[in-house]
Amino acid sequence: MANVSKKVSWSGREREAEGRGEGTPLLLNGARGRQLSSSSSSSRLGGLSNVDLSDDQEPEADAPRPFPHEIPHSEKLLSLKYESLDYDNCENQLFLEEEKRINHTAFRTVEIRRWVICAMIGILTGLVACFIDIVVEYIAGLKYKVVKGNIDKFTQTGNLSFALLLWATLNAGFVMLGSAIVAFVEPVAAGSGIPQIKCYLNGVKIPHVVRLKTLVVKVCGVIFSVVGGLAVGKEGPMIHSGAVIAAGISQGRSTSLKRDFKIFEYFRRDTEKRDFVSAGAAAGVSAAFGAPVGGVLFSLEEGASFWNQFLTWRIFFASMISTFTLNTILSIYKGNPSDLSSPGLINFGQFDSEKMGYTIQEIPIFIFMGVVGGIVGAMFNALNYWLTMFRIRYIHRPALQVIEAVLVGAVTAAVAFVMIYTSSDCQPLQGDSMAYPLQLFCPDGEYNAMAAAFFNTPEKSVVRLFHDPPGTYDPMTLGMFTLVYFFLACWTYGLTVSAGVFIPSLLIGAAWGRLFGISLSYINSGWIWADPGKYALMGAAAQLGGIVRMTLSLTVIMMEATGNVTYGFPIMLVLMTAKIVGDYFAEGLYDMHIQLQSVPFLHWEAPVTSHSFTAREVMSTPVTCLRRIEKVGTIVDVLSDRTSNHNGFPVVEGVPGHEQMAGLRGLILRSQLIVLLKHKVFVERANLSLVQHRLKLKDFRDAYPRFPPIQSIHVSQDERQCMMDLSEFMNPSPYTVPQEASLPRVFKLFRALGLRHLVVVDKHNQVVGMVTRKDLARYRLGKEGIEEVPLAQT
């Protein structure tokens, strides 16, 4: 196949990265598929890969292979490894019989259970956020006290090199722990997790993404990353943590712990789990920023690809419960049980709207700050893009990934120490406003201003830049800090550690925004009064918007986190400008990383100018079809054939009077066939009406989501001669399109309904092809019009 390459992806190490395809159709005789006329003209669309049966399917053991020195990779590839989720309910006879039995009371019970699950999601997400916050505060406090004591001690004796060594060693040690558990235990826990959850909610299976082990590694990893002094935040990973909690709670069991609580069995399907994961992501945002409405809008704007009005209320309920739980626990922890003033992991503090109002003359200044944020954000994304490409190609071994993370941790500490050491910006110490003030070479009663930014957790540094009075920072200090922290944050994002980019982005923007405010005060001519804290807030919004390209949700998050709606309009103005300018130069950070991992992500609309393509050109063909009453041996052979290992099979039946015609009768999934084989649902050859075992939907739900591989199911020679009647289990009304349908029409149908397979039929209702996610995702809008992305066995 042309342009086939291998790389390490979110799902883990390269030995797990065997190509596993969506199940692109292929006839039983292995006939070659349609030849395409663009960049992948030599690609055969069938039989390229082995299917990953489930999101949580354990990979088969492969013989260990040596890691290559370099993994060739191009960003313009589409991975065959990622599967689709079954968001379209299979309305077979079993499903319809169960739904008919559900009366009004049972329906209300199901609805009540949904609300109960959302409440549990909010409570557990809030508790996890509390745990992260308390542990980080405690361990980071100990680290900063030890380092501060040594710096103060050795400043007098003149042996500061030991203090530097101690700081770098502590940082490197914590980062090594955090990186090792991610690299060797669960690689999908790396980063913030937002791109992975965004793909999951789009309908793409990211292996292991919502496992309990991923949650444990994520929580421990983000604690070590933040304590290790990296340019990261603990807020981003909360979104992933909330999603994992939601996926586990909604199923009423833990497949990792092998415990089934026999509850919530009705929700054991991809459609229901998707909605709860949306609620979990929103609850994570709500716990991180104390922004329930912002959480709902984040899930709507950045996360969920499917939405309805009822879902809005449930997600808002989960977000509200999450914030309340976190607020209550932290208030008790801080000794003020009745004071609910800690709604999120980070609180930007109250801005005095009377002292920090804005005038109409400042609107152009805010727009200009948005332009700067968009340009700087695009630069951040472009640098991180090339760095990520380098990591994919060369730093693909777990050991190398840990070494790189340790190096970044040590370099971050060393750079911070050198910046503090060489800074001569001394400011008067005002009460207990600073947690760990470093005097260093400053006179008594003063502290080093550079240390106020570096020698603290990023969250507290952001708040200080927002609220410190004018004159607290020297412009040179802010300029040097912005430049250095920009590169440190860019280098850090993409490491094999659990870390978010929200807080580093806010810190960079707050630093250059405050510098911008100070510069305005120097040219003050009476018509503008520039408070640097106000411009720090606008700079933070501009920088974060320029990097992640969020608008509506980020506006509400910033307003809720500051407790002030006064700045709603300027923040919105800054974010819109940053997004428009940033999109002109480069993609958003999350979309960029999704593309770098070659995920078949489907956007809201088909590429423009794609009406010239029809379903006949897009579909994969020929197709593996099964008869309505099929021989067991044939089914086993089809499922066992690695060259045609697919997930969906059209069920056909001969048309009376036309021997050569086989009309479409339904569609059956690989997972359903495996359950049928496991339970020996066969009919005797002599008497086709004799059913050996009557299955219920519960049997399929019990096997979800980790369906066993076909190799684990034993079928004897006698059983191979039996027949299997698929009528009761297949979906008798699969979605179909005629071959003349245009690509935008096919795309809209596929995307809006969350399909996994779309059957293409001719005028006689005969199956002529199949459209899957990868068939649509490989068409993208390039510089010269529509281009077809090659498929990669990754």
Side-chain angles (χ1 to χ4, degrees), residues 22 83-86 205 647 750 754-757 771-772:
E22 172 61 54
E83 296 300 317
S84 292
L85 294 162
D86 294 308
K205 286 182 181 176
N647 279 313
F750 195 97
L755 302 182
R756 187 175 187 180
H757 304 93
V771 175
T772 63

Side-chain angles (χ1 to χ4, degrees), residues 640-662:
S640 303
D641 187 0
R642 289 182 177 271
T643 63
S644 59
N645 225 2
H646 315 314
N647 279 313
F649 304 92
V651 179
V652 298
E653 191 173 40
V655 179
H658 299 81
E659 296 297 331
Q660 301 300 321
M661 294 180 62

Side-chain angles (χ1 to χ4, degrees), residues 6 13-18 20 59-67 642:
K6 291 185 178 181
R13 304 166 257 327
E14 191 207 356
R15 64 174 176 271
E16 294 181 6
E18 284 294 300
R20 296 175 182 271
E60 297 174 24
D62 293 326
R65 297 185 298 276
F67 283 98
R642 289 182 177 271

Side-chain angles (χ1 to χ4, degrees), residues 134-203:
I134 292 170
V135 173
V136 166
E137 183 180 346
Y138 180 75
I139 301 178
L142 288 178
K143 185 193 81 168
Y144 286 126
K145 284 178 183 176
V146 170
V147 176
K148 181 183 183 304
N150 278 271
I151 290 178
D152 291 342
K153 174 183 175 183
F154 291 110
T155 301
Q156 301 172 356
T157 60
N159 190 17
L160 279 173
S161 57
F162 179 80
L164 167 60
L165 185 63
L166 175 66
W167 191 3
T169 303
L170 286 175
N171 274 19
F174 284 121
V175 172
M176 182 176 69
L177 289 173
S179 179
I181 60 175
V182 172
F184 291 101
V185 179
E186 195 54 89
V188 79
S192 66
I194 295 176
Q196 293 92 319
I197 295 303
K198 191 173 178 178
C199 290
Y200 184 89
L201 294 175
N202 188 257

Side-chain angles (χ1 to χ4, degrees), residues 487-668:
F487 289 106
L488 286 176
C490 187
W491 190 13
T492 304
Y493 190 78
L495 288 177
T496 312
V497 294
S498 297
V501 77
F502 269 77
I503 299 302
S505 303
L506 290 173
L507 184 52
I508 296 168
W512 68 254
R514 191 176 182 95
L515 177 61
F516 187 80
I518 293 173
S519 303
L520 283 179
S521 66
Y522 287 153
I523 60 173
N524 184 9
S525 59
W527 61 271
I528 186 169
W529 182 78
D531 186 292
K534 171 176 57 178
Y535 288 98
L537 176 64
M538 297 304 157
Q543 185 64 55
L544 183 54
I547 291 176
V548 301
R549 309 293 159 73
M550 291 162 52
T551 52
L552 181 62
S553 57
L554 189 54
T555 301
V556 177
I557 287 172
M558 297 292 284
M559 286 194 297
E560 289 185 283
T562 56
N564 195 325
V565 298
T566 305
Y567 300 113
F569 176 70
I571 289 175
M572 195 178 302
L573 199 62
V574 163
L575 288 172
M576 288 293 293
T577 308
K579 175 176 171 55
I580 292 170
V581 173
D583 284 342
Y584 181 79
F585 293 104
E587 282 188 299
L589 189 65
Y590 300 142
D591 292 330
M592 186 191 74
H593 276 264
I594 289 172
Q595 183 176 326
L596 281 172
Q597 297 298 334
S598 303
V599 179
F601 188 89
L602 294 181
H603 295 279
W604 288 104
E605 298 288 344
V608 294
T609 71
S610 60
H611 280 84
S612 57
F613 291 86
T614 63
R616 184 190 294 108
E617 297 169 282
V618 173
M619 69 185 186
S620 300
T621 184
V623 184
T624 302
C625 295
L626 299 174
R627 290 173 295 179
R628 189 176 61 84
I629 299 177
E630 188 61 88
K631 198 174 180 181
V632 172
T634 302
I635 295 175
V636 172
D637 291 340
V638 168
L639 298 181
S640 303
D641 187 0
R642 289 182 177 271
T643 63
S644 59
N645 225 2
H646 315 314
N647 279 313
F649 304 92
V651 179
V652 298
E653 191 173 40
V655 179
H658 299 81
E659 296 297 331
Q660 301 300 321
M661 294 180 62
L664 177 67
R665 293 293 177 267
L667 182 76
I668 194 161

Side-chain angles (χ1 to χ4, degrees), residues 143-382:
K143 185 193 81 168
Y144 286 126
K145 284 178 183 176
V146 170
V147 176
K148 181 183 183 304
N150 278 271
I151 290 178
D152 291 342
K153 174 183 175 183
F154 291 110
T155 301
Q156 301 172 356
T157 60
N159 190 17
L160 279 173
S161 57
F162 179 80
L164 167 60
L165 185 63
L166 175 66
W167 191 3
T169 303
L170 286 175
N171 274 19
F174 284 121
V175 172
M176 182 176 69
L177 289 173
S179 179
I181 60 175
V182 172
F184 291 101
V185 179
E186 195 54 89
V188 79
S192 66
I194 295 176
Q196 293 92 319
I197 295 303
K198 191 173 178 178
C199 290
Y200 184 89
L201 294 175
N202 188 257
V204 182
K205 286 182 181 176
I206 306 295
H208 306 185
V209 73
V210 290
R211 279 195 183 181
L212 177 62
K213 184 169 69 172
T214 304
L215 175 64
V216 174
V217 173
K218 195 84 179 182
V219 170
C220 296
V222 74
I223 290 172
F224 288 129
S225 300
V226 175
V227 173
L230 291 176
V232 300
K234 58 181 181 286
E235 283 70 22
M238 277 307 306
I239 296 164
H240 191 178
S241 300
V244 178
I245 290 169
I249 291 296
S250 64
Q251 303 304 292
R253 66 176 176 186
S254 171
T255 48
S256 299
L257 300 178
K258 295 181 172 56
R259 289 292 304 274
D260 192 341
F261 300 99
K262 306 295 183 183
I263 56 175
F264 307 142
E265 294 179 346
Y266 181 80
F267 305 119
R268 292 177 185 175
R269 55 182 184 226
D270 287 336
T271 314
E272 296 286 350
K273 188 193 281 190
R274 172 196 70 199
D275 293 343
F276 290 119
V277 168
S278 299
V285 175
S286 180
F289 296 97
V293 179
V296 176
L297 293 176
F298 173 85
S299 191
L300 172 62
E301 181 182 10
E302 279 294 307
S305 293
F306 305 91
W307 200 266
N308 61 62
Q309 187 177 8
F310 295 109
L311 190 60
T312 306
W313 287 105
R314 289 199 296 268
I315 289 181
F316 179 69
F317 180 67
S319 298
M320 185 179 64
I321 294 293
S322 175
T323 296
F324 179 76
T325 302
L326 180 81
N327 208 337
T328 304
I329 300 297
L330 288 185
S331 298
I332 295 173
Y333 171 72
K334 293 174 180 177
N336 258 335
S338 60
D339 180 22
L340 300 179
S341 58
S342 302
L345 293 184
I346 181 170
N347 189 346
F348 295 146
Q350 294 286 337
F351 283 83
D352 191 339
S353 56
E354 293 183 3
K355 293 182 180 179
M356 295 178 59
Y358 63 94
T359 61
I360 193 170
Q361 293 95 332
E362 293 177 272
I363 297 298
I365 298 175
F366 295 148
I367 294 175
F368 176 74
M369 293 184 74
V371 172
V372 174
I375 294 173
V376 177
M379 288 173 55
F380 184 98
N381 293 356

Side-chain angles (χ1 to χ4, degrees), residues 140 143-144 147-148 151 167 171 225-232 408-423 425 434-438 440 447-465 468 473 476-489 492 504 507-508 511:
K143 185 193 81 168
Y144 286 126
V147 176
K148 181 183 183 304
I151 290 178
W167 191 3
N171 274 19
S225 300
V226 175
V227 173
L230 291 176
V232 300
V408 174
V411 168
T412 301
V415 168
F417 186 88
V418 171
M419 294 282 289
I420 295 171
Y421 183 83
T422 57
S423 174
D425 184 9
M434 274 201 70
Y436 312 104
L438 287 181
L440 215 59
Y447 69 95
N448 188 298
M450 183 68 80
F454 268 120
F455 199 67
N456 219 328
T457 55
E459 290 88 349
K460 293 181 180 177
S461 299
V462 170
V463 177
R464 288 193 60 83
L465 286 169
D468 279 352
Y473 296 91
M476 183 60 70
T477 300
L478 290 174
M480 291 299 297
F481 174 79
T482 302
L483 186 64
V484 170
Y485 205 81
F486 175 88
F487 289 106
L488 286 176
T492 304
L507 184 52
I508 296 168

